[in-house]
Amino acid sequence: MGTQYRVHCPQCGYDATLALGVGFVFPEDFAEMQEKGRNGKFGDEVRDFFAEHPKGVMDSELVIGKCDKCGEYYSVPLIQMYIPKPSGKFREMFCAVRSVMPSRKGNISSSSELGSNYRLYKTHLPLCEKCGGDMKVFREKDIGKLSCPHCGKQFLIPEISALWD
């Protein structure tokens, strides 16, 4: 399920739209993400992960990113890289086959399945699209604790503006 928020500052008028979560199209997107990750579409760090861990998989969810440099908030994809849990050769082989199968039957059908068969290895966030700074992650539970990046004097007021899936 995904949620879109409008956050605004009553002090200075700052306003932003932030989308969070994952949709029900996860199974369809999963195989495509693996291919893009292996081909370097998500950067060298993710491509190198797949080179070092051929049985690894990745998923992504939209989170709130705040730039450490310019202070702006963005919806950013938090890429999570996983490696199979060491549970014997059959499970490792099963996990590896499921991770690259192009059909829906071969894909992982939900992000919760990752926890059963894989362990989180590493996370990756893109750099700020405005200034190239590092991003700090905020989750949906943090939405009411975001301070205004412009005036810094006020917490932003969140309002749900859309739900999807």
Side-chain angles (χ1 to χ4, degrees):
M1 176 104 170
T3 308
Q4 180 176 295
Y5 288 91
R6 175 183 171 249
V7 294
H8 62 278
C9 176
Q11 181 77 24
C12 72
Y14 172 80
D15 191 81
T17 301
L18 303 170
L20 300 165
V22 173
F24 283 138
V25 295
F26 179 87
E28 288 79 16
D29 290 343
F30 188 80
E32 184 179 327
M33 286 181 61
Q34 307 320 296
E35 184 178 331
K36 286 180 178 180
R38 291 176 196 283
N39 292 331
K41 302 282 186 201
F42 296 109
D44 293 341
E45 181 180 23
V46 176
R47 188 190 64 229
D48 293 347
F49 161 75
F50 280 116
E52 291 175 30
H53 304 281
K55 296 176 186 175
V57 295
M58 60 175 260
D59 77 341
S60 178
E61 69 175 297
L62 289 175
V63 296
I64 301 167
K66 181 178 184 181
C67 179
D68 287 340
K69 203 172 180 182
C70 70
E72 291 293 323
Y73 292 105
Y74 299 99
S75 295
V76 294
L78 174 65
I79 294 173
Q80 300 164 117
M81 295 168 263
Y82 295 86
I83 58 176
K85 288 181 177 176
S87 338
K89 290 187 179 201
F90 176 76
R91 173 164 260 178
E92 287 184 16
M93 181 173 41
F94 176 74
C95 293
V97 168
R98 288 191 72 186
S99 71
V100 296
M101 292 288 288
S103 71
R104 182 179 168 103
K105 289 181 183 176
N107 290 334
I108 295 198
S109 61
S110 71
S111 58
S112 63
E113 279 187 60
L114 287 171
S116 300
N117 299 308
Y118 294 86
R119 74 172 176 84
L120 181 63
Y121 176 75
K122 193 175 192 180
T123 60
H124 170 78
L125 271 176
L127 297 175
C128 175
E129 59 189 54
K130 181 177 176 183
C131 72
D134 290 328
M135 302 292 277
K136 179 180 178 183
V137 174
F138 291 91
R139 303 274 184 175
E140 190 164 12
K141 65 181 174 66
D142 302 316
I143 194 85
K145 303 173 190 170
L146 303 177
S147 60
C148 180
H150 290 183
C151 72
K153 297 178 181 178
Q154 182 77 34
F155 284 117
L156 297 174
I157 297 172
E159 298 171 355
I160 293 177
S161 58
L163 298 171
W164 71 90
D165 291 342

